[in-house]
Structures are given as structure tokens and as C-alpha cells.
Amino acid sequence: SRWRERERRPEAMEFHPALDAPHTVSFEGDTLILPVVSHGNVGQLATDLLVASVTGARRIGCLDHPALLPCVGRDAFARDEGDGPGGGHIALGMEVYRVGGGGGGALCLAQQRAEVALGSQRSFAADVAEWIAERGFAEVVVLASAPSTEAKAPGEIGGTSFQHVTASDVPDDRCVAARITHRKTSGGGGGATADQKITREDDDRALPPWSLMRALRAKNVTAVALIATCSEGDNTEDAATMADAVAGVLGLGLEIRAASDEKVDEKVSDGSSRIRWTIPPSWKAAYGQQPMASEIFA
């Protein structure tokens, strides 16, 4: 049958529940936060902050795909054995965390740590989108980043700014209210207007998140991508700003874990309040064991 043929497809995405999670996990009606591997890994870093900081976040399983390169490491969130949202499990290439129980309306976060094999980005994106559609997620928030050299004005190069793109090409009202500019190009090279769709040519020019957004649109999945244009280096501050944006856009009303010794510094230029995100233990050695002046990465 067609169903069995699809099950045997080697590129199919598979979800494996954690040992302490229900054998059958339902994602119907949930919101998914999904970072993509991109410039400066701002999306992954922001997801780390969300998982480490939000009360109730817990690892419920992992995703596997033939195009994901092998990746394994120590639990990124555990200070002591067994504690933290990772539950003491080893970290794998793509893990799924959930805030709260099932039953619809929960917040899920899929942390992608592994690279995708060269030449497999489009097929990987298509399978991710198919898995998301089949599982019935209500919405997907894609977190991505791009070089600041994509800025339109020379004075913007080297700084950090945020934009958003939707699978429907219609501006997201929540992002507009948060003053996150709607990107009026549907692809990575300029010239396309807001009412044009994400084309295969655009997809080829800029991976990711265009291949993923294009695949989500093809599956009629409601999706918005938050994109940080930034310089690559120490992107922890960019990650904190992106995590702030996610919390604001989704209206999460997040409960934050008890105060910790490790927090992202508050650097707010407009006088507004900011969530103080908990830094995961895995960040301690991100730039070596000895502290380094962040200015050298600017």
C-alpha cells in the first residue's frame, strides 16, 4: 500500500520517545519552536536558553533522520547527574522538549544540534515539514540567522537586527506589534516582493530557512520564521534577544526557574524590561575554559 511505501522511505523522519515519556506522544494542537542550523547558530542558542529557563520544560524524545550527521554529547542542561530538563540523558543530534503535559496547546521545542549532510537540505526540510503536518502541530516558529552583510545599508553591517518571514507571505500581526520587520523578499537574494511565493530558485540561493519555509507552505502548515541578521562570533547576546522575541510574539507568560549563578547579562538599550535567561552549563566552555573578552568576537 501507499502507506507502507511511505513508511519504508529511507528519508522519513522518526520520533523516538524518551524512556520516561509515554510510549505514544501526541503533538496535536501544540506549538513547535524549531531552530535551523544557520549563521552564528543564534536559533540553537536561543532554544538552549528557552529550554534551560522555562519551568516545566522536559525532554520527551528525539528525532532521527538519515541526513542528520552523528552527534552525541553530555546532557547540555544538567549540572548534576539526572537534574535539569534533559533528565540526565546524553544529548543527541535532534531532541524534543515539551513545556507542560500533552492534550493540545503545549509548547514544544526541537533542538537541532547536528548538521545536515551536504546536498540533503531540501529533502531533510521536506521530511521535517511532513512530520510536522502529520503530527498536527498548530503552529511552527522557526528560528534562524543570516550574515549582517545581507543588510541593505552599509551602516547596518556588523550590527544585529531581527526580521520575520511567514510561510503565507503575509506579515504576522504579533511580530508587527513587536516591531519585528516583515521581510519583503521571499528568498535570499532580494528582488522578490512580499506577495510572491517562496520559489525553488529562492530555495537554492539561500539555505536555510527558505527550504524549510517552502516545505511548510507546501504542507499548509502555519509557520513564522524569526531571523537575526548578525555577525558570527559570540552570539549569546543575540540569542537572548531572540529568546525575548519568541516569548513576546507567542505571549508565553513564561515562568522562569529559580535564580541561578549563571545568567545572561541584561543589556537593554531602550529601557524596557528583559527576561534574565538561565545559561545552560554546556555554555561554560563554549570559548574555552578561561574567560575571554567578548569584544574580540564583535
Side-chain angles (χ1 to χ4, degrees):
S1 69
R2 291 178 62 186
W3 175 254
R4 288 181 179 176
E5 287 176 5
R6 185 168 60 180
E7 280 191 314
R8 289 197 298 266
R9 254 190 343 124
E11 39 303 337
M13 178 71 71
E14 293 183 281
F15 174 74
H16 301 281
L19 293 176
D20 54 356
H23 181 69
T24 302
V25 178
S26 172
F27 297 100
E28 190 76 31
D30 289 354
T31 294
L32 177 66
I33 294 175
L34 179 62
V36 294
V37 177
S38 47
H39 186 81
N41 295 321
V42 177
Q44 279 84 359
L45 294 171
T47 302
D48 266 359
L49 292 177
L50 287 160
V51 173
S53 303
V54 180
T55 300
R58 198 72 183 171
R59 182 182 184 272
I60 60 170
C62 64
L63 289 164
D64 188 34
H65 189 279
L68 278 175
L69 298 179
C71 177
V72 64
R74 185 181 184 275
D75 183 352
F77 304 104
R79 287 180 170 79
D80 298 306
E81 185 175 354
D83 77 344
H89 297 282
I90 59 174
L92 298 174
M94 195 167 183
E95 300 176 309
V96 181
Y97 296 82
R98 172 180 269 162
V99 181
L107 175 67
C108 294
L109 305 97
Q111 177 61 294
Q112 183 182 341
R113 302 187 185 281
E115 292 269 10
V116 175
L118 186 65
S120 301
Q121 291 94 336
R122 187 179 297 125
S123 62
F124 176 76
D127 288 332
V128 170
E130 182 175 2
W131 180 81
I132 289 170
E134 289 181 346
R135 293 300 179 118
F137 285 96
E139 180 181 21
V140 180
V141 179
V142 176
L143 306 183
S145 44
S148 64
T149 50
E150 285 197 3
K152 295 181 180 180
E156 297 175 359
I157 296 176
T160 299
S161 61
F162 287 85
Q163 305 170 76
H164 79 278
V165 172
T166 62
S168 65
D169 284 334
V170 176
D172 185 284
D173 291 340
R174 300 164 301 177
C175 292
V176 172
R179 299 181 180 179
I180 302 173
T181 304
H182 178 243
R183 183 164 180 159
K184 294 184 179 180
T185 57
S186 297
T193 59
D195 59 353
Q196 289 178 302
K197 299 300 182 183
I198 302 169
T199 66
R200 185 172 296 276
E201 182 182 357
D202 296 325
D203 185 10
D204 290 337
R205 283 203 305 263
L207 295 168
W210 313 113
S211 57
L212 179 58
M213 293 300 288
R214 181 174 177 273
L216 290 169
R217 180 175 64 84
K219 292 294 182 180
N220 296 315
V221 174
T222 300
V224 56
L226 300 181
I227 305 171
T229 55
C230 59
S231 298
E232 191 169 27
D234 182 353
N235 294 101
T236 53
E237 187 63 26
D238 298 329
T241 304
M242 177 171 276
D244 288 341
V246 171
V249 167
L250 292 181
L252 299 180
L254 299 178
E255 282 187 67
I256 303 303
R257 297 180 191 278
S260 167
D261 292 337
E262 297 291 338
K263 296 283 185 176
V264 172
D265 291 337
E266 289 184 280
K267 297 179 181 176
V268 182
S269 58
D270 61 2
S272 61
S273 60
R274 165 183 245 183
I275 298 169
R276 285 179 63 81
W277 300 99
T278 299
I279 297 178
S282 57
W283 285 23
K284 287 186 175 181
Y287 300 101
Q289 295 292 346
Q290 298 301 319
M292 301 180 73
S294 61
E295 289 76 12
I296 70 173
F297 301 105

